[in-house]
Amino acid sequence: MDQRNVKFLVIGVLLALAVAIIAVFLASPNPDGLDSTALIASGQKTLTSPATGENISVGAPGHFMYASPMPDYSLGKNWGPMGGIIAMVTGTVLVLAIVIGIAWLLKKRKMSKKPVS
């Protein structure tokens, strides 16, 4: 990788981290589309009534349940905005690592299939 590509990658990562940090302060406390759909599907909201956004859970038989390690992009109410920043930066770095890992594996696979001259 030449110097120009490294510079481009570093600037892209810094921009992604800046957006992740700024998003914590610009995010709406109201339920988003996914949360709203979960409320409708679980019968806690109708299409014509507003939702409180609290206690979103689908407990009907046959539904998959899980606990998120960072619910609502935060580390809990005790952490405040810093918890949101840590969660967003962790997610951004994790996705970057996954993408770089996949790219490395694809490059390795492509290199192994090249015919030897």
Side-chain angles (χ1 to χ4, degrees):
M1 189 181 304
D2 65 2
Q3 192 68 16
R4 186 173 174 198
N5 287 340
V6 171
K7 184 177 179 181
F8 179 75
L9 182 63
V10 168
I11 290 172
V13 169
L14 291 176
L15 283 174
L17 290 172
V19 168
I21 292 168
I22 292 169
V24 171
F25 300 103
L26 299 178
S28 171
N30 299 323
D32 63 7
L34 185 59
D35 287 341
S36 183
T37 303
L39 288 169
I40 292 169
S42 65
Q44 297 178 37
K45 174 188 172 198
T46 64
L47 286 175
T48 57
S49 68
T52 61
E54 296 177 14
N55 300 324
I56 297 172
S57 63
V58 179
H63 281 76
F64 177 74
M65 299 287 290
Y66 69 94
S68 174
M70 293 183 225
D72 291 329
Y73 312 105
S74 70
L75 297 179
K77 292 181 181 179
N78 294 338
W79 284 81
M82 184 55 77
I85 291 171
I86 292 169
M88 294 293 281
V89 169
T90 301
T92 302
V93 170
L94 184 63
V95 168
L96 177 65
I98 291 169
V99 169
I100 288 174
I102 290 171
W104 180 79
L105 288 173
L106 290 174
K107 182 179 178 182
K108 185 177 177 182
R109 181 177 168 202
K110 183 179 177 182
M111 296 298 261
S112 68
K113 287 187 176 184
K114 273 190 174 178
V116 178
S117 302

